[in-house]
Amino acid sequence: MGPVLALPAVLDIQAAEALRVQLLDARGGSLALDGSSVERLGGLCLQVLLSARQTWAADGHSLVVSPVSGAFTDQWNAFGAPAWAAGQPGDPA
């Protein structure tokens, strides 16, 4: 696995642009997102993460989110977002 990007505790509308920029800067190789500190996941950051997943998959690289906090998992699921299957390009563990 490539570099690790630690996600902030609050992924709300104010964090979305910074997250987008960080992900674009990391594009071009495998990436792990550490979601263990996430306390709040907002809709706009969810969209950024879903877009990143599609981008990494299209590029043929691995994008994983591991570890994740319970709050991250609960809020991801509350949005009804697609499951992120482990071990596939563009999919977190």
Side-chain angles (χ1 to χ4, degrees), residues 43-82:
L44 194 52
C45 283
L46 173 78
Q47 290 177 2
V48 170
L49 292 171
L50 289 171
S51 176
R53 176 169 71 171
Q54 290 179 330
T55 299
W56 261 251
D59 290 348
H61 295 292
S62 175
L63 177 64
V64 298
V65 179
S66 183
V68 294
S69 67
F72 181 96
T73 301
D74 291 346
Q75 291 166 38
W76 183 275
N77 292 335
F79 277 111

Side-chain angles (χ1 to χ4, degrees), residues 3-74:
V4 176
L5 173 63
L7 297 174
V10 178
L11 287 169
D12 62 4
I13 193 167
Q14 294 177 354
E17 178 61 16
L19 177 60
R20 184 189 71 82
V21 169
Q22 288 177 313
L23 289 168
L24 283 175
D25 287 346
R27 188 173 178 189
S30 295
L31 179 65
L33 302 175
D34 179 346
S36 62
S37 296
V38 175
E39 298 171 5
R40 187 173 37 182
L41 174 62
L44 194 52
C45 283
L46 173 78
Q47 290 177 2
V48 170
L49 292 171
L50 289 171
S51 176
R53 176 169 71 171
Q54 290 179 330
T55 299
W56 261 251
D59 290 348
H61 295 292
S62 175
L63 177 64
V64 298
V65 179
S66 183
V68 294
S69 67
F72 181 96
T73 301
D74 291 346

